[in-house]
Amino acid sequence: MFNDNILPLLGSTFGTSPLSSEWIVVSIPHAGGHSMTYLPWAPEWVKSFQRLGCSVSTYAYVLPGRDGRRELKCDQSILGAAHELITHIKNLAPKKLLIYGHSMGALIAYESARGLIDRYYQKLPTAICVSGMGAPGYPNHNKTELSRLEDAELVEALLDIGQGRGASQKDIIKAFLPRIRQDICAVDNYQHNESYNCKGERDNGQLLFPLYAWSGDEDKRVTLESTIQWGRWTLSEFNYSILPGGHFFINEHIPSITDSVASWVIKSTKL
């Protein structure tokens, strides 16, 4: 259910309240994703953090123009979404923060983390986890060119990326194609600026927080090298992992990902 005090973040009912939680996890979906994308992740995050003696509350970023925000004008900018997300993260007032994004969500996670540069967040235990996206600045890391395809071609390309087949999956993609195309355009139009963050503040593009990058070994659009190149964009600890699967490999490995990330972020953010 939506919490009016933290829109456009979707709060889970798992774990403890955000005010008492030691950790807050904010997840950002892939192109075409919605508020329920990370619902299966919520109990796994709780289990993973609780095994390590930590409480956690989980949230999923709801982009403008969908789910509970359908009345709002859609923002097709990665930087615009990141700028908005920063405000809502600050409203949560987390004690410790993990931002996770997959595919398009990885770019929003990175850019929002760049914007958390004030003194409070520099001292706050914070970590970033990305998957299904090559590092910004890596050649053709985000140039899918899918936005140029006609509808029928785009549907087939998306089926191939998701390794899906069948009439039902094709019908689902067709139903949400305008939203998916809008998000793909946001990715294709994204320009990595090493000198300024999404708030227009000068920086060098490098995060001050630990960063963990994941990819699937059969992902046709994200290479091992482009995953490793995420290490360029943090001045803190960097780690990467490769798991079996294609672009949406994460759906087959939710418990192992949450366990690995929870253990890593707690260790990496100890003051």
Side-chain angles (χ1 to χ4, degrees):
M1 62 179 292
F2 286 99
N3 182 330
D4 291 337
N5 295 324
I6 57 172
L7 282 175
L9 298 172
L10 179 66
S12 78
T13 57
F14 302 96
T16 55
S17 70
L19 293 178
S20 60
S21 294
E22 184 176 358
W23 280 89
I24 283 180
V25 177
V26 177
S27 301
I28 311 165
H30 55 83
H34 51 81
S35 61
M36 295 293 103
T37 298
Y38 286 108
L39 190 60
W41 291 68
E44 299 303 329
W45 282 124
V46 172
K47 291 176 188 176
S48 297
F49 276 94
Q50 285 183 340
R51 288 190 190 103
L52 299 168
C54 298
S55 59
V56 63
S57 289
T58 64
Y59 298 88
Y61 176 54
V62 181
L63 283 90
R66 63 200 71 193
D67 299 322
R69 307 187 67 196
R70 288 175 183 168
E71 76 287 357
L72 299 180
K73 184 179 180 179
C74 298
D75 185 348
Q76 296 190 32
S77 164
I78 295 294
L79 298 182
H83 190 279
E84 180 189 56
L85 180 56
I86 291 169
T87 299
H88 295 285
I89 288 175
K90 289 185 174 182
N91 287 340
L92 287 173
K95 300 173 184 176
K96 299 179 181 180
L97 174 66
L98 169 62
I99 306 175
Y100 170 63
H102 179 72
S103 195
M104 177 188 72
L107 297 177
I108 298 174
Y110 163 71
E111 289 291 351
S112 62
R114 286 180 68 181
L116 293 173
I117 61 173
D118 57 52
R119 291 183 179 180
Y120 174 75
Y121 281 90
Q122 287 182 20
K123 296 179 180 179
L124 183 75
T126 301
I128 312 301
C129 182
V130 296
S131 61
M133 176 61 69
Y138 188 79
N140 297 321
H141 85 283
N142 65 314
K143 302 304 179 185
T144 68
E145 297 188 356
L146 293 176
S147 58
R148 299 182 180 181
L149 298 179
E150 298 294 331
D151 284 357
E153 295 175 312
L154 180 56
V155 169
E156 292 302 319
L158 292 171
L159 284 170
D160 184 55
I161 291 171
Q163 297 178 316
R165 291 290 183 270
S168 61
Q169 288 179 309
K170 180 176 288 189
D171 288 342
I172 291 173
I173 291 176
K174 286 181 177 179
F176 292 99
L177 195 61
R179 175 197 296 178
I180 298 172
R181 182 180 290 280
Q182 169 190 286
D183 290 347
I184 290 173
C185 285
V187 174
D188 281 352
N189 292 333
Y190 168 70
Q191 297 291 327
H192 181 243
N193 189 328
E194 295 184 30
S195 301
Y196 293 92
N197 65 24
C198 65
K199 297 191 295 182
E201 298 164 325
R202 193 167 184 82
D203 69 1
N204 61 6
Q206 293 180 302
L207 305 179
L208 303 173
F209 316 119
L211 192 155
Y212 200 152
W214 296 73
S215 62
D217 63 0
E218 297 179 13
D219 192 334
K220 299 176 182 178
R221 295 182 176 272
V222 182
T223 65
L224 172 61
E225 181 60 27
S226 69
T227 301
I228 295 173
Q229 286 298 312
W230 275 102
R232 293 177 55 198
W233 302 118
T234 180
L235 295 173
S236 184
E237 183 176 344
F238 173 69
N239 195 19
Y240 73 92
S241 292
I242 310 297
L243 289 177
H247 189 64
F248 290 103
F249 71 96
I250 58 173
N251 295 329
E252 306 301 322
H253 304 282
I254 297 175
S256 60
I257 292 174
T258 59
D259 281 347
S260 296
V261 172
S263 177
W264 178 79
V265 299
I266 290 173
K267 186 182 302 182
S268 299
T269 56
K270 283 185 176 179
L271 300 179

